[in-house]
Amino acid sequence: MESCKILVFGGTGYIGRHIVKASVLYGHPTYVYTRPNSSKTDILQDFQAMGVILIKGELNEHEKLVSVLQEVDAVIAGLAYPQVLEQFKIIEAIKATGNIKRFLPLDFGCDEDRVSVLQPFQKFLNKKKEIRRAVEAAGIPYTFVSANLCAVLNYEEDIGRYTIKVAIDPRTCNRVVIYRPKANIISQFQLISLWEKKTGRTFKRVHLSEQQIIALSESLPDPENIPVAILQSVFVKGDTANFDLGENDIEASTLYPDLQYTTIDQLLEIFLHNPPKPISAAFARHSFEPGTERPFGLFHCAAGGDEREAVGKVEDHARAVHSGSRRCMVGPGGGAGESPNGKEESERE
């Protein structure tokens, strides 16, 4: 694999950290643009130990962005959803430099140009579509990534490795790449049944009709209505897996057959023996204490951030069974694993 200087925004975040580690693993000079006051000191220290070059700055520092971009070849955005539109600042800096060979904007969920969803989720996706159109209009070489969610289970480490590969692959330039291994497409009930077999437990199932879910998406306040609309899109309509891939579609596991992706059974073994720390998806920012902002998300998850990581805590409003993250994990008592202290946490930078 040819060496490429790669800059990651949001590198300490949920998906970003796996992208950074994969970049280092493949031998690329790796840069991370991080906030000067970042609280992710442990992660940043680990990055430094791996040889990652840390650049401290804010997204509104245009001149600094330009100077950093002049030193790299490819740019990957792993920012949190509340920062989606801040990518316009990155786009303006890329336009000013003119040397970036590939830009991967924040995607990593469903293909927003391909789905038709309930309005709360659509508003969520429209911001990402704005960024896609701006990238295309600017003539910036790009790759749009659809790493899917819930009904298509992709391990974070695999997403990181696939993302680095597509970022420098000439075959993926100005294309959408879908991460959808055939063997990792699964329904919610199939997944719950597999987890019951793994754990030897039986979970209570409380069923909601599609009409109830739609009603919730219309009655809940923003941003609590977003994850409910996501559930309707993924688990009722099957938007991530209800279409055939055409000749012009690129699927990552087919494009890189030598990269052995993690199977659903292997994912469940990880959850069983070494479960990740539960965190929450970020859909908006909310101040919890003076001088401190933390992302607000209705849904807890065993692996949070972005729409693909939302865990359905719908039963708070309609006694529904919790639906899992893009791994759709069901924990003790039928619900997704909450954080031990019951508080929402964010792993996004």
Side-chain angles (χ1 to χ4, degrees):
M1 183 181 293
E2 181 182 351
S3 179
C4 175
K5 294 181 180 179
I6 296 177
L7 171 64
V8 181
F9 290 90
T12 62
Y14 164 65
I15 289 297
R17 69 187 66 179
H18 294 286
I19 294 172
V20 171
K21 291 177 182 178
S23 180
V24 173
L25 176 68
Y26 286 133
H28 301 296
T30 305
Y31 300 69
V32 169
Y33 196 88
T34 181
R35 294 188 181 117
N37 61 348
S38 173
S39 61
K40 312 288 182 64
T41 54
D42 291 345
I43 298 173
L44 293 173
Q45 288 173 358
D46 289 342
F47 285 171
Q48 285 184 307
M50 291 187 290
V52 174
I53 300 170
L54 303 180
I55 310 295
K56 294 184 180 294
E58 301 286 354
L59 290 176
N60 59 6
E61 296 182 70
H62 178 75
E63 292 183 1
K64 176 171 283 190
L65 283 178
V66 170
S67 66
V68 174
L69 290 169
Q70 288 173 336
E71 302 297 322
V72 301
D73 304 305
V75 178
I76 302 172
L79 300 167
Y81 168 71
Q83 295 176 285
V84 168
L85 296 183
E86 292 190 50
Q87 291 179 106
F88 280 116
K89 299 169 185 176
I90 300 173
I91 293 171
E92 288 304 311
I94 291 176
K95 289 163 60 177
T97 61
N99 64 291
I100 297 302
K101 299 176 182 177
R102 193 74 59 86
F103 177 43
L104 277 64
L106 173 64
D107 273 325
F108 303 106
C110 65
D111 186 353
E112 51 263 35
D113 287 328
R114 201 162 200 157
V115 299
S116 176
V117 298
L118 295 178
Q119 194 59 27
F121 191 17
Q122 191 62 58
K123 290 180 180 178
F124 181 103
L125 296 180
N126 284 346
K127 294 181 180 181
K128 290 186 174 184
K129 292 174 74 170
E130 281 187 61
I131 296 298
R132 282 190 173 190
R133 303 292 84 82
V135 171
E136 292 168 340
I140 298 170
Y142 66 84
T143 299
F144 298 148
V145 169
S146 172
N148 281 305
L149 62 156
C150 296
V152 182
L153 308 190
N154 291 311
Y155 189 34
E156 297 88 346
E157 292 182 8
D158 296 343
I159 292 172
R161 290 192 287 266
Y162 281 135
T163 298
I164 294 303
K165 283 182 172 291
V166 303
I168 65 171
D169 191 335
R171 296 174 296 176
T172 63
C173 187
N174 296 339
R175 302 289 295 275
V176 177
V177 180
I178 300 170
Y179 300 178
R180 199 177 82 172
K182 288 183 179 179
N184 280 21
I185 300 174
I186 192 169
S187 73
Q188 184 185 29
F189 287 122
Q190 288 172 330
L191 188 61
I192 292 172
S193 296
L194 287 175
W195 185 240
E196 287 178 326
K197 292 178 182 178
K198 285 279 184 186
T199 61
R201 303 180 63 179
T202 300
F203 299 112
K204 180 181 179 182
R205 293 164 171 80
V206 180
H207 300 275
L208 281 183
S209 68
E210 181 177 10
Q211 289 71 29
Q212 287 174 294
I213 295 175
I214 293 173
L216 278 173
S217 75
E218 294 171 344
S219 62
L220 288 174
D222 185 68
E224 295 178 15
N225 53 5
I226 297 173
V228 177
I230 291 173
L231 295 181
Q232 189 266 351
S233 170
V234 175
F235 287 124
V236 178
K237 294 177 61 181
D239 280 333
T240 59
N242 65 357
F243 59 91
D244 294 326
L245 298 178
E247 292 183 1
N248 293 325
D249 291 315
I250 300 178
E251 198 283 310
S253 66
T254 303
L255 190 62
Y256 308 111
D258 294 337
L259 199 164
Q260 297 298 310
Y261 61 84
T262 307
T263 65
I264 291 175
D265 185 72
Q266 291 169 330
L267 277 172
L268 294 184
E269 285 294 318
I270 292 171
F271 265 81
L272 187 62
H273 299 293
N274 187 28
K277 175 183 176 183
I279 53 180
S280 65
F283 295 106
R285 290 193 177 277
H286 177 77
S287 294
F288 283 80
E289 56 186 76
T292 301
E293 283 204 344
R294 297 170 59 191
F296 170 82
L298 169 65
F299 288 4
H300 287 278
C301 51
D306 216 324
E307 80 269 17
R308 58 185 299 285
E309 302 130 19
V311 172
K313 204 177 180 185
V314 182
E315 69 174 6
D316 282 349
H317 305 281
R319 298 180 305 169
V321 65
H322 288 206
S323 302
S325 70
R326 36 135 213 86
R327 301 188 213 170
C328 310
M329 201 60 247
V330 177
E338 283 194 17
S339 88
N341 59 13
K343 295 179 180 178
E344 295 179 358
E345 301 176 26
S346 171
E347 290 295 317
R348 288 292 194 138
E349 172 70 348

